[in-house]
Amino acid sequence: MAQNPSLVHRIPQSKYIDAIRWLSPVSALDRFAAVAYYDTDTNSPSIEIICVDPNPEGSSPTLTPQSSWTPPSRISSLKTAHSTHQPLLAAATFSGSIHILASDLINGGTMESEATVSELGFHSGPVSAVDLREGGTECVSVGEDGRVNLVSFVGDSSKLSYRRIFDANGLVGYTAVKWASPSEFATGGYGFGLQWWDQRKPGGPVSQFKGNWCQGKTSGIVHSIDIHPSRKHTCLAGGSSGTVFAWDLRAQQQPIVLSGAGTDEAPISLLSESEVWEVQYDRYTRSSNTSNISSTRILPIMICSEDGILAVIEQGEEPLELLAEPCAINSFDIDQQNPSDVICSLEWESIAILTRS
């Protein structure tokens, strides 16, 4: 496996980190991130806005807390919208609620809860995943209870409105979700299954990908999904047993396996043997011109795993290992403005900031 020369800083924290996300910068000098913390000593969750100072003269970047917000329970999923006039966060909790938070980065990084949906029946149990649509007017939530909800946020109302897109009544559980367009999104769940939804065609998913390709590993769970804006027809997924695969809607039931389980036809290199917690398309790529890549070829992707791997996978190339930690890497985010910079949350209560050379 190839290794990439990168500058890595690990910054110890006093609390466990459940999720971490870059926020869109308001100036070239200031950089901010949102962190979902959990204090295991006091069982208290929080979301904090931190200012990240690269500190070029010092040995390590400094992280300065700007503001904090206390959710009703531990955060299960945290997403951001970048194309809004101020950064918006969608935070889902283990108690089954969703909160839309707005952060004013110009005035000291203050954070306010704009809207909440928490009524009985929204989700039965934890919200597994949430995704905030670019523009910040809607988010979609899914749960292992089999419910798929569309949450609308309009104006200054402190109350979110939602409608049930689907309810599998617990027969099917959903563990990941990602917007593909203003009307379409993808979900993932057990058995490495994926579903494609279109709000214009209600009643259930318009297309389904069944995970019976994975050599009997039907207990596999999809933990993360990403969809590239220029490749809406391809759904990228990461999950159990180090499995990373893509589903091309134009070739309905044949996965493109990038790492892990593989199919009967060909063994696939195993980058990780454990859970792949997050996958993201990597805009900082070795390919000189992604626009020239065939539409059937999968664009480069980054993954993080339970066994401490942060790596870039490019179809047909040797994986590029960025980090190999002695503990799990639970989440990461690539800076959209500076894709050479990656921020990660480590199991051993640390934040890692990686700058690729």
Side-chain angles (χ1 to χ4, degrees), residues 255-284:
I256 303 163
V257 182
L258 300 167
S259 178
T263 61
D264 293 327
E265 289 78 27
I268 301 295
S269 64
L270 192 61
L271 181 62
S272 165
E273 297 183 9
S274 64
E275 309 298 306
V276 172
W277 290 123
E278 190 143 21
V279 293
Q280 284 186 28
Y281 279 106
D282 186 15
R283 289 170 173 80
Y284 181 88

Side-chain angles (χ1 to χ4, degrees), residues 33 51 54 64 68 88 101 107 124 127 130 135 151 187 215 233-234 244 282 308 319 354:
C51 181
T64 307
S68 180
L88 283 182
L101 309 171
N107 296 308
S124 176
V127 179
V130 65
V151 181
T187 57
Q215 298 183 344
H233 53 78
T234 303
V244 182
D282 186 15
L354 179 142

Side-chain angles (χ1 to χ4, degrees), residues 285-287 293 297-298 300-301 312-319:
T285 168
R286 289 174 287 173
S287 299
I293 298 178
R297 185 178 169 90
I298 305 303
I301 61 170
V312 175
I313 302 173
E314 194 166 343
Q315 194 176 6
E317 304 280 345
E318 187 180 4

Side-chain angles (χ1 to χ4, degrees), residues 87-129:
L88 283 182
L89 293 166
T93 69
F94 279 92
S95 59
S97 61
I98 280 183
H99 308 268
I100 303 297
L101 309 171
S103 180
D104 186 351
L105 301 184
I106 296 175
N107 296 308
T110 57
M111 182 168 41
E112 293 182 355
S113 175
E114 294 286 311
T116 295
V117 57
S118 59
E119 54 252 45
L120 196 65
F122 176 60
H123 276 286
S124 176
V127 179
S128 295

Side-chain angles (χ1 to χ4, degrees), residues 133-134 138 150 179-185 198-200 232:
R133 186 157 70 80
E134 286 304 324
E138 286 182 319
L150 183 71
W179 283 104
S181 75
S183 58
E184 298 164 294
F185 58 89
D198 190 333
Q199 295 183 60
R200 298 162 297 189
K232 198 191 75 173

Side-chain angles (χ1 to χ4, degrees), residues 12-317:
Q13 304 294 289
S14 61
K15 294 170 279 193
Y16 189 88
I17 304 144
D18 284 320
I20 194 161
R21 297 283 177 248
W22 288 112
L23 297 177
S24 296
V26 291
S27 75
L29 300 176
D30 297 319
R31 305 182 70 191
F32 296 88
V35 187
Y37 286 108
Y38 185 71
D39 190 327
T40 53
D41 293 330
T42 60
N43 293 328
S44 55
S46 63
I47 294 177
E48 292 186 16
I49 302 297
I50 58 171
C51 181
V52 181
D53 183 353
N55 196 16
E57 297 178 5
S59 59
S60 178
T62 54
L63 307 180
T64 307
Q66 303 294 301
S67 60
S68 180
W69 178 78
T70 303
S73 65
R74 192 169 181 173
I75 296 299
S76 57
S77 182
L78 183 69
K79 292 295 175 66
T80 57
H82 295 281
S83 59
T84 52
H85 68 281
Q86 61 179 359
L88 283 182
L89 293 166
T93 69
F94 279 92
S95 59
S97 61
I98 280 183
H99 308 268
I100 303 297
L101 309 171
S103 180
D104 186 351
L105 301 184
I106 296 175
N107 296 308
T110 57
M111 182 168 41
E112 293 182 355
S113 175
E114 294 286 311
T116 295
V117 57
S118 59
E119 54 252 45
L120 196 65
F122 176 60
H123 276 286
S124 176
V127 179
S128 295
V130 65
D131 195 31
L132 191 58
R133 186 157 70 80
E134 286 304 324
T137 57
E138 286 182 319
C139 66
V140 61
S141 69
V142 298
E144 293 187 30
D145 56 2
R147 292 173 185 170
V148 180
N149 292 320
L150 183 71
V151 181
S152 299
F153 168 60
V154 181
D156 298 324
S157 170
S158 62
K159 199 75 172 173
L160 294 172
S161 64
Y162 82 92
R163 61 185 175 93
R164 179 80 30 85
I165 297 285
F166 189 72
D167 191 347
N169 296 310
L171 297 176
V172 177
Y174 303 106
T175 52
V177 65
K178 180 70 179 179
W179 283 104
S181 75
S183 58
E184 298 164 294
F185 58 89
T187 57
Y190 293 90
F192 291 134
L194 296 172
Q195 304 81 30
W196 191 268
W197 307 76
D198 190 333
Q199 295 183 60
R200 298 162 297 189
K201 300 174 183 177
V206 294
S207 187
Q208 297 196 56
F209 174 74
K210 295 181 170 57
N212 53 8
W213 51 271
C214 51
Q215 298 183 344
K217 294 183 180 177
T218 51
S219 60
I221 303 172
V222 172
H223 296 302
S224 177
I225 295 172
D226 200 10
I227 297 170
H228 196 280
S230 69
R231 304 286 176 90
K232 198 191 75 173
H233 53 78
T234 303
C235 182
L236 177 70
S240 305
S241 306
T243 303
V244 182
F245 68 97
W247 172 38
D248 191 329
L249 272 76
R250 302 167 301 180
Q252 283 295 323
Q253 295 303 322
Q254 187 57 45
I256 303 163
V257 182
L258 300 167
S259 178
T263 61
D264 293 327
E265 289 78 27
I268 301 295
S269 64
L270 192 61
L271 181 62
S272 165
E273 297 183 9
S274 64
E275 309 298 306
V276 172
W277 290 123
E278 190 143 21
V279 293
Q280 284 186 28
Y281 279 106
D282 186 15
R283 289 170 173 80
Y284 181 88
T285 168
R286 289 174 287 173
S287 299
S288 58
N289 190 349
T290 57
S291 63
N292 290 336
I293 298 178
S294 163
S295 66
T296 59
R297 185 178 169 90
I298 305 303
L299 295 171
I301 61 170
M302 188 179 290
I303 68 131
C304 71
S305 71
E306 176 68 22
D307 51 7
I309 300 296
L310 182 77
V312 175
I313 302 173
E314 194 166 343
Q315 194 176 6
E317 304 280 345

